[in-house]
Amino acid sequence: MQSHDDSTDYIIAPDPGAARLTRAVNGIDQAGQVVQINVVEERPLTIYLNGQEIVTAMTIGDYPEYLALGFLKNQGMLRDGETIKGVDYDDDLEVVVVRTDGQTTYEEKLKKKTRTSGCAVGTVFGDMMEGLEGLTLPATSVKTSWLYALAHRINTTPSLYLEAGAIHGSVLCHGDRPLVYMEDVGRHNAVDKIAGWMVSEGVSGADKIMYTTGRLTSEMVIKCALMGVPVLVSRSGFTAWGVEIAQQVGLTCIGRMRGRRFTCLSGADRLEWDADPGSVPEESKRSGRKGGV
Amino acid sequence: MQSHDDSTDYIIAPDPGAARLTRAVNGIDQAGQVVQINVVEERPLTIYLNGQEIVTAMTIGDYPEYLALGFLKNQGMLRDGETIKGVDYDDDLEVVVVRTDGQTTYEEKLKKKTRTSGCAVGTVFGDMMEGLEGLTLPATSVKTSWLYALAHRINTTPSLYLEAGAIHGSVLCHGDRPLVYMEDVGRHNAVDKIAGWMVSEGVSGADKIMYTTGRLTSEMVIKCALMGVPVLVSRSGFTAWGVEIAQQVGLTCIGRMRGRRFTCLSGADRLEWDADPGSVPEESKRSGRKGGV
């Protein structure tokens, strides 16, 4: 497995150097010494659908248009084939407005709020399971060598996490290639930004793999299924309901993927066992993510 | 620093053996071997305030009454001195109803929804900063030896995290003693359950320390301040806005606390430097929390 830290063949890679995404803060360490550390920004972004204020998200603030589009898409507020007339972002007002040609279902959906187990996008409007009935995900096969290559590549890619920590990452991948690597204070923002990119570019999820640093909760599994991505991989663990839903919709759910280890609790039939785990190095301390992010 | 794994002197300790909180799930590991692992449950709990449905939370499902009370309290939906006439939990309906003698402000608050960077309780109704104006937190001093003792004790206490992973913990502490250790799929549920316990027991936060496994985001800092707890400690990192609010309200904010290391980015004036970091052992691999939880 090759090790390369360059991000040249990502379509979208993290930009840890972007001034707007982190801030240097002075503090003291355990020895009472003055230290300066970089911390990630967290700022409000209010999302409008046509004339209606939908929600205010706390986000690092990159790709607001993708975040708005992806959030609305993953909430089922944008119907398939609905024309997006425009997405307007106002930096000063911290507002993004998505304009469509259709009537939206937000009024009905806004009636019901569910706080999920997810980070940051901890709100689902309407029925969480809506759109899952009759959903079938393609029998795309996944080589275990791809999983190891992706995990290694992603964890060694320069990122806001490696720069400042306290942030989640999600990566849309094809085969052993990571395509779009989004980070955010909440992992669900990261996934929604990917969904927004897919909507904008007309990219299908059918032959993709979603890698996330976050836990495989019900909301994460549902988002991935609604995006049409048949394989969800995480270095973190599972919740029982997340696994249950993955098994119901036939989504391949792989968790606790660190170094040579992983656990597959759903959809193992997609796996092609072409890698020898024994030949995979344990991950370095640097690429191992610390708790709580 | 003594090391004891018993939880005898907790008022509330995790119950990793509780059948209702985890589920054994069969899967396969990286070698294709069948494995059975315990995963945490995640179930909906709908919270009502008097006649009004407020929100549905995804939770592991322990202490539903505390979660409901604490959520409503931390949302400013229960005024100080308001009489709680009753808290009724229906296990079958997965509903908890909090009954008060007062008029509630929910209608106004429900108009505005903010998705925060928090896990699970990613929703704040109304103005996030409401109640922070003029808030002053006591100048309670904190010995650094307490911080090390608490971190060691908490990380070696039998817990759902050590049993099944993929879960957050928050612990209300007094001096070097952890009092109430709550876990949940979302760290904000854990904090809200502590807030609910404090409301029920009439416990003040003024002389307490809050330890959490989660990131120090704006919502976490605001919750802690509104609970009157002047010191917030986390093994995870910070967001810039979280630090900014902590500095504004004079809350001591300590993050990245692992082994002998920690970083204080706000309220260092409360610290009493009575411990020699060099004498503190680095944490064991077992007590180090993995990414994404």
Side-chain angles (χ1 to χ4, degrees):
Chain A
M1 180 169 41
Q2 59 185 143
S3 166
H4 47 144
D5 286 355
D6 61 290
S7 309
T8 47
D9 60 358
Y10 279 94
I11 296 171
I12 297 178
D15 183 10
R20 194 168 178 279
L21 303 184
T22 62
R23 192 188 309 179
V25 178
N26 293 318
I28 59 175
D29 66 11
Q30 68 279 357
Q33 301 300 311
V34 172
V35 291
Q36 185 182 70
I37 65 171
N38 277 346
V39 295
V40 292
E41 290 288 353
E42 179 193 16
R43 46 174 64 97
L45 176 70
T46 302
I47 298 171
Y48 283 76
L49 177 55
N50 298 316
Q52 172 71 33
E53 177 178 344
I54 302 296
V55 81
T56 297
M58 299 304 301
T59 171
I60 56 171
D62 64 343
Y63 303 106
E65 297 88 351
Y66 288 154
L67 177 56
L69 270 178
F71 174 78
L72 295 173
K73 177 70 174 179
N74 281 340
Q75 297 304 323
M77 292 183 177
L78 298 177
R79 295 187 314 281
D80 290 338
E82 186 164 1
T83 306
I84 310 295
K85 289 160 62 183
V87 183
D88 305 322
Y89 170 57
D90 186 310
D91 191 1
D92 298 330
L93 298 179
E94 295 176 317
V95 161
V96 59
V97 182
V98 175
R99 305 183 198 285
T100 71
D101 61 353
Q103 286 303 310
T104 61
T105 57
Y106 54 74
E107 277 145 335
E108 180 192 322
K109 289 180 178 295
L110 286 181
K111 286 184 194 157
K112 183 153 178 57
K113 295 163 297 299
T114 299
R115 295 176 305 150
T116 70
S117 306
C119 289
V121 187
T123 309
V124 176
F125 298 113
D127 176 2
M128 277 180 72
M129 311 294 280
E130 186 181 333
L132 292 184
E133 320 79 38
L135 176 80
T136 51
L137 294 165
T140 316
S141 71
V142 179
K143 294 183 176 175
T144 55
S145 61
W146 295 350
L147 301 179
Y148 289 121
L150 289 171
H152 176 77
R153 178 73 196 282
I154 290 163
N155 287 317
T156 53
T157 295
S159 64
L160 283 164
Y161 174 76
L162 293 177
E163 170 75 15
I167 194 162
H168 271 293
S170 288
V171 190
L172 186 71
C173 310
H174 180 246
D176 63 356
R177 181 188 172 201
L179 301 177
V180 175
Y181 183 164
M182 294 288 193
E183 293 181 290
D184 210 300
V185 282
R187 71 177 193 267
H188 289 120
N189 285 351
V191 172
D192 283 340
K193 285 187 283 193
I194 289 173
W197 177 82
M198 291 169 74
V199 171
S200 302
E201 303 296 318
V203 172
S204 161
D207 58 349
K208 304 298 189 302
I209 297 167
M210 183 71 74
Y211 176 95
T212 178
T213 59
R215 290 168 296 164
L216 301 173
T217 61
S218 56
E219 187 185 22
M220 202 64 180
V221 168
I222 290 166
K223 277 182 187 284
C224 199
L226 292 178
M227 292 162 71
V229 178
V231 183
L232 178 58
V233 181
S234 172
R235 55 175 297 107
S236 185
F238 308 84
T239 68
W241 199 27
V243 173
E244 206 172 299
I245 296 169
Q247 291 170 341
Q248 280 168 23
V249 300
L251 183 134
T252 297
C253 215
I254 293 166
R256 301 185 176 186
M257 176 146 196
R258 304 188 194 109
R260 67 191 53 168
R261 292 165 297 130
F262 66 77
T263 305
C264 180
L265 295 188
S266 172
D269 48 303
R270 284 197 183 86
L271 295 178
E272 271 184 49
W273 302 84
D274 70 329
D276 166 22
S279 69
V280 178
E282 290 299 339
E283 64 186 12
S284 71
K285 196 161 187 296
R286 173 173 164 82
S287 40
R289 297 177 78 99
K290 307 300 190 304
V293 297
Chain B
M1 180 169 42
Q2 59 185 145
S3 166
H4 46 144
D5 287 355
D6 61 290
S7 309
T8 47
D9 60 356
Y10 280 94
I11 297 171
I12 298 178
D15 183 9
R20 194 168 178 280
L21 303 184
T22 62
R23 191 189 309 178
V25 178
N26 293 318
I28 58 175
D29 67 10
Q30 67 280 355
Q33 300 300 311
V34 173
V35 291
Q36 184 181 70
I37 65 171
N38 277 346
V39 295
V40 292
E41 290 288 352
E42 180 193 14
R43 46 172 64 96
L45 176 71
T46 301
I47 298 171
Y48 283 76
L49 178 54
N50 298 316
Q52 172 71 34
E53 176 178 345
I54 301 297
V55 79
T56 296
M58 298 305 300
T59 171
I60 56 171
D62 63 344
Y63 304 106
E65 297 89 350
Y66 287 154
L67 177 56
L69 271 177
F71 174 78
L72 295 173
K73 177 70 174 179
N74 281 341
Q75 296 305 324
M77 291 183 178
L78 299 176
R79 295 186 314 281
D80 291 337
E82 185 163 2
T83 306
I84 310 295
K85 288 161 58 185
V87 183
D88 305 321
Y89 170 57
D90 185 311
D91 192 1
D92 297 330
L93 298 179
E94 294 176 318
V95 162
V96 58
V97 182
V98 175
R99 305 182 198 286
T100 71
D101 62 353
Q103 285 303 310
T104 61
T105 57
Y106 54 74
E107 277 145 334
E108 179 191 324
K109 288 179 177 296
L110 286 180
K111 287 182 193 156
K112 183 152 178 58
K113 295 162 296 299
T114 300
R115 293 178 306 150
T116 69
S117 305
C119 289
V121 188
T123 309
V124 176
F125 298 113
D127 177 1
M128 276 180 73
M129 310 294 279
E130 187 180 331
L132 292 183
E133 321 80 38
L135 176 81
T136 51
L137 294 165
T140 317
S141 73
V142 179
K143 294 183 176 174
T144 55
S145 62
W146 295 351
L147 301 178
Y148 290 120
L150 289 171
H152 176 76
R153 177 75 196 281
I154 291 163
N155 287 315
T156 54
T157 295
S159 64
L160 283 164
Y161 174 76
L162 292 177
E163 171 75 15
I167 195 162
H168 271 293
S170 288
V171 190
L172 186 71
C173 311
H174 181 248
D176 63 357
R177 180 189 172 200
L179 302 176
V180 175
Y181 183 163
M182 295 288 193
E183 294 181 288
D184 210 300
V185 283
R187 72 176 192 268
H188 289 120
N189 285 351
V191 173
D192 284 340
K193 284 187 283 194
I194 289 173
W197 177 82
M198 291 169 72
V199 170
S200 301
E201 303 296 318
V203 171
S204 160
D207 58 349
K208 304 299 190 300
I209 298 168
M210 183 71 73
Y211 176 95
T212 177
T213 60
R215 290 168 296 164
L216 301 173
T217 61
S218 55
E219 188 185 21
M220 201 66 180
V221 168
I222 290 167
K223 277 181 187 284
C224 199
L226 292 178
M227 291 162 72
V229 178
V231 182
L232 178 57
V233 182
S234 172
R235 54 177 295 109
S236 185
F238 308 84
T239 69
W241 199 26
V243 173
E244 207 172 298
I245 296 169
Q247 291 169 343
Q248 281 169 22
V249 300
L251 183 133
T252 297
C253 216
I254 293 165
R256 301 184 176 186
M257 177 147 195
R258 303 187 195 111
R260 68 191 52 170
R261 291 165 296 128
F262 66 76
T263 306
C264 179
L265 294 188
S266 173
D269 48 303
R270 284 197 184 86
L271 295 178
E272 270 183 50
W273 301 83
D274 69 329
D276 167 21
S279 69
V280 178
E282 291 298 339
E283 66 186 11
S284 71
K285 195 162 187 297
R286 174 173 163 83
S287 43
R289 297 178 77 98
K290 308 298 191 306
V293 295

